[in-house]
Amino acid sequence: MDITRFIISRRDKALLVGDYGLYRKQLSRRLLVVRKKLNYSSKGRKYNPKTPITAEDIGNNHEFQKASNYATLLVTLLQEKEKCGASTESVLEARAYRQSLRGSIAFEKGDWERCLQSYSETRLLYTALAQAKGSSAGQEDLFKDLLSNTVDASLRYAAYQLKLPRTMSIEAIVARYVPRENNTFVTEALKSNADLLQESGAAARMSMTGSADAPKTINWRSRTVKLEDASTAQALASLSVAEANLVSFLAANPDTDRRAKAAAFDDVLLPSQDAVDATKTAIDELTAEGIPQGDPRMQSLQITRTAVNYNLVEWRVGRNRVLCGQQDGAVFEDETVKKPKKLGADGESREVQEESLSRKLNRLKERVVLYESTLQSLESVKELPGVLADETLMNELEVKKAYFSSLRCLAIARSHMLQGNTRNSLALLSRALDLSSQASSPSSPSKSGTAALSKLEVTSAQADSLKGLLERSVLQYRALVELEDLNSAASQNRPSFNPSPMVERLDEYPPEGVDLTNLVTYPPKIQPIPVKPIFLDVAWNYIDYPGRPKKGVATATSGNAEETASKPEPRKEAKKGWFGFGR
């Protein structure tokens, strides 16, 4: 029988479209259908006495096992295992659900002692069911959500009403208030794990997260304070386990993709956020009770709040640095798209095209967003209690802020480089160089060496490497801008018309300098060129040359004129008919 899953799924389904009144009506209709199937309906008589249900009825009709919501009756009947065929887990699950209902009734009535007893037994039974060998991962998650959302919160509030110490953990409360005398269900649950009620091992065994013993103190800078809230201590215990798992994962998989590494940080960020939320809740509760800020408990919680919030910022920044890539994004490498090789029409494989410009710009935009998120996280640290008064910490934050601001300027400069805006790139690179100089200055408190797991620490080697890269980039783009200025000045001094190529004007000296872009005409064009000179001496007969008599020229000329005059003109034939056609 899967009692808990059945009830919670029906309850969630009803609450999606209504409230608990609709849920009650839905259960009433469901019970009426079940009673009709079991032939226990009144058949029109309103006050017909109802026949009691027996264990044999449960064994004969399996559908009734899913429909019954009367927990007390179900527990009583399921104890007769031989008749109804119920397993031990089904009996414990029905008992846990019954005790949760009794605890809820005691909570509404304000009976805090009975509420702690009922909910303690509920938590013990659900924990034993989750640790049973036959339980699946889905059942374990279901029990874990039920305990964290309802049972643990009710236990904590009832303990607060009974003035129990805040440092008392949930497991200690369960071990203290669970009813043990004449309780066969608790005895049955302890058979599989006898250490469930041992306070020394409660934190490790009863919390289904597998965390170790909760810490008693927390360190912040040079101060060590006592943890005043048990929920914060449990969250810090889970955080230490998650940190160890993350370090081992990164050490075992150094060549893993950066996105997979960043996803591994989520298992650390969740318990870290839980510790922050638990600390804030504890401070709000003390404030609601009227505890002054000068109280030692309040002072310890304020220091704990600063420590856990700073730790959360460190892990967030560490995740962003992993997503940025090598050297915190200082190196911008081309990504190779893993695609299957395509075959062309000739059957030969085609090469995959390189990364497009838009994809590169999108990757740079993602890095800028990560750097801005990091800078916002650093600014949020200044709002924590006691940070502004710590001058050393403020200097460290300014150095780290300058380091990540320099990386942000470098990413924006690269986007301008890809678009051909050389002047903008040079201005941004110069600004990034100034910021990196602050991060690598001798007075900056950066650590030396190499960090195995980069969170918020900036080593001197990282700062110096970034500064050297920016110095080389500034020199390179300063030269490019100078070349652009020279080319633009030369283009302004050129004449508006297009002169002939230099190869055709080799006999002329260029006073404004040689135009290297107009040496020859390429590709060559078809042009007429002289091959052989043609001499036409049309004035031969009219010029007196030495040694030639003038008379011969005149006689020849007159003779030619007489012959021309003596020749009669040819007679033109008259045209006959229309349009020159003869008749």
Side-chain angles (χ1 to χ4, degrees):
M1 294 177 64
D2 201 352
I3 300 173
T4 306
R5 185 182 300 277
F6 171 77
I7 294 173
I8 291 179
S9 61
R10 290 301 181 94
R11 180 186 302 168
D12 294 341
K13 182 179 180 180
L15 292 177
L16 284 176
V17 294
D19 52 6
Y20 281 98
L22 180 62
Y23 177 55
R24 179 177 177 275
K25 294 179 181 179
Q26 181 183 359
L27 293 181
S28 300
R29 292 193 300 268
R30 183 63 180 168
L31 282 175
L32 180 60
V33 172
V34 172
R35 295 188 67 86
K36 287 183 178 180
K37 290 183 178 181
L38 293 174
N39 297 323
Y40 283 97
S41 59
S42 58
K43 297 181 179 179
R45 289 174 292 179
K46 186 174 183 181
Y47 299 104
N48 184 35
K50 299 177 182 180
T51 306
I53 302 175
T54 61
E56 289 80 0
D57 296 331
I58 300 176
N60 295 332
N61 195 313
H62 180 71
E63 188 173 350
F64 179 79
Q65 300 178 14
K66 300 181 180 179
S68 176
N69 290 286
Y70 292 101
T72 305
L73 178 61
L74 185 59
V75 171
T76 305
L77 297 175
L78 289 178
Q79 286 181 336
E80 301 181 19
K81 302 179 183 179
E82 293 79 8
K83 297 181 180 181
C84 64
S87 61
T88 303
E89 288 76 12
S90 299
V91 176
L92 294 180
E93 191 173 355
R95 174 71 178 186
Y97 177 64
R98 172 184 180 272
Q99 289 302 102
S100 66
L101 295 180
R102 292 176 63 90
S104 179
I105 295 173
F107 187 91
E108 297 296 334
K109 291 181 177 181
D111 190 353
W112 307 117
E113 186 79 21
R114 188 177 298 276
C115 177
L116 281 179
Q117 292 176 359
S118 300
Y119 274 126
S120 296
E121 184 177 353
T122 300
R123 196 180 197 282
L124 177 68
L125 294 178
Y126 275 132
T127 304
L129 289 172
Q131 295 181 357
K133 295 182 179 180
S135 62
S136 60
Q139 288 180 332
E140 183 177 350
D141 295 338
L142 179 65
F143 296 151
K144 180 181 177 181
D145 294 339
L146 180 63
L147 293 180
S148 61
N149 295 334
T150 305
V151 178
D152 289 351
S154 302
L155 283 172
R156 181 60 64 188
Y157 187 78
Y160 164 74
Q161 293 293 337
L162 292 177
K163 308 297 182 183
L164 295 180
R166 295 181 182 275
T167 56
M168 189 177 228
S169 63
I170 296 292
E171 290 76 17
I173 295 174
V174 171
R176 180 175 177 179
Y177 283 92
V178 65
R180 311 184 194 184
E181 297 180 359
N182 300 325
N183 195 332
T184 57
F185 303 98
V186 174
T187 305
E188 188 70 27
L190 293 177
K191 286 182 180 180
S192 58
N193 194 342
D195 296 337
L196 285 176
L197 293 181
Q198 298 295 329
E199 296 186 14
S200 60
R205 294 181 177 88
M206 292 193 64
S207 63
M208 287 177 287
T209 57
S211 58
D213 293 339
K216 304 298 182 183
T217 60
I218 187 172
N219 298 324
W220 168 245
R221 310 291 286 177
S222 59
R223 301 188 62 177
T224 302
V225 296
K226 182 181 179 181
L227 289 174
E228 298 291 340
D229 186 65
S231 300
T232 306
Q234 293 177 9
L236 291 176
S238 302
L239 177 61
S240 62
V241 175
E243 289 178 357
N245 294 336
L246 176 62
V247 172
S248 60
F249 172 78
L250 295 178
N253 304 280
D255 299 331
T256 309
D257 182 63
R258 56 188 177 87
R259 292 183 179 84
K261 292 181 180 179
F265 277 76
D266 294 340
D267 297 334
V268 179
L269 291 174
L270 290 178
S272 182
Q273 184 65 50
D274 293 341
V276 172
D277 296 339
T279 307
K280 184 180 182 300
T281 302
I283 293 175
D284 294 341
E285 290 177 356
L286 289 181
T287 304
E289 294 176 6
I291 304 299
Q293 293 293 329
D295 188 85
R297 292 179 297 170
M298 186 66 77
Q299 292 292 325
S300 299
L301 284 175
Q302 293 290 356
I303 296 175
T304 304
R305 176 190 172 191
T306 303
V308 295
N309 276 275
Y310 188 81
N311 188 36
L312 177 61
V313 169
E314 283 186 326
W315 287 112
R316 285 178 178 173
V317 174
R319 182 178 181 273
N320 292 344
R321 296 175 75 174
V322 170
L323 285 174
C324 288
Q326 297 181 3
Q327 300 180 14
D328 300 331
V331 179
F332 186 69
E333 64 281 354
D334 294 336
E335 287 188 351
T336 56
V337 182
K338 295 182 179 180
K339 295 183 179 179
K341 294 183 178 180
K342 299 180 180 180
L343 298 180
D346 52 356
E348 297 181 358
S349 60
R350 298 177 180 176
E351 295 182 358
V352 181
Q353 296 181 355
E354 62 179 4
E355 189 178 11
S356 62
L357 176 61
S358 60
R359 184 178 177 85
K360 292 180 180 179
L361 292 176
N362 289 334
R363 288 202 294 126
L364 289 172
K365 187 184 297 185
E366 292 175 359
R367 290 190 181 183
V368 172
V369 172
L370 292 173
Y371 293 138
E372 290 179 350
S373 175
T374 300
L375 294 175
Q376 291 177 1
S377 300
L378 292 176
E379 286 293 331
S380 66
V381 174
K382 299 179 181 179
E383 301 175 0
L384 298 177
V387 174
L388 292 176
D390 194 340
E391 185 177 356
T392 304
L393 179 59
M394 289 297 298
N395 293 335
E396 293 180 4
L397 291 176
E398 291 298 328
V399 168
K400 295 167 184 175
K401 183 179 177 181
Y403 176 76
F404 290 106
S405 298
S406 176
L407 288 171
R408 176 177 176 271
C409 292
L410 176 59
I412 300 176
R414 281 176 173 152
S415 65
H416 284 279
M417 295 175 192
L418 295 175
Q419 295 177 345
N421 301 328
T422 313
R423 293 181 179 275
N424 296 344
S425 301
L426 178 60
L428 289 166
L429 289 173
S430 178
R431 175 59 179 166
L433 180 59
D434 295 339
L435 293 171
S436 65
S437 300
Q438 299 177 13
S440 62
S441 60
S443 58
S444 62
S446 301
K447 298 181 180 180
S448 59
T450 309
L453 180 60
S454 298
K455 292 194 294 184
L456 194 55
E457 297 81 5
V458 179
T459 63
S460 58
Q462 292 173 338
D464 294 340
S465 175
L466 176 61
K467 182 180 179 182
L469 174 64
L470 290 172
E471 287 177 348
R472 295 189 296 269
S473 300
V474 167
L475 291 176
Q476 177 185 358
Y477 276 84
R478 187 175 294 168
L480 292 176
V481 170
E482 186 68 22
L483 288 175
E484 288 184 358
D485 293 341
L486 293 175
N487 290 334
S488 61
S491 61
Q492 292 177 0
N493 295 331
R494 293 171 188 168
S496 57
F497 63 91
N498 294 327
S500 58
M502 187 65 188
V503 71
E504 299 179 5
R505 297 181 289 111
L506 295 178
D507 57 335
E508 300 177 5
Y509 177 77
E512 70 280 357
V514 179
D515 186 7
L516 300 180
T517 61
N518 194 19
L519 295 178
V520 295
T521 302
Y522 186 84
K525 299 180 180 179
I526 299 177
Q527 296 179 354
I529 58 175
V531 179
K532 294 180 180 180
I534 300 175
F535 299 98
L536 299 176
D537 193 357
V538 296
W540 171 264
N541 297 328
Y542 304 94
I543 300 176
D544 295 334
Y545 291 98
R548 182 180 179 187
K550 186 176 180 181
K551 181 179 180 181
V553 177
T555 304
T557 304
S558 59
N560 294 336
E562 292 176 356
E563 292 177 0
T564 304
S566 61
K567 290 182 180 181
E569 294 182 359
R571 183 178 179 182
K572 297 182 180 179
E573 297 181 359
K575 296 182 180 180
K576 300 177 181 180
W578 294 93
F579 305 105
F581 297 100
R583 295 181 181 178

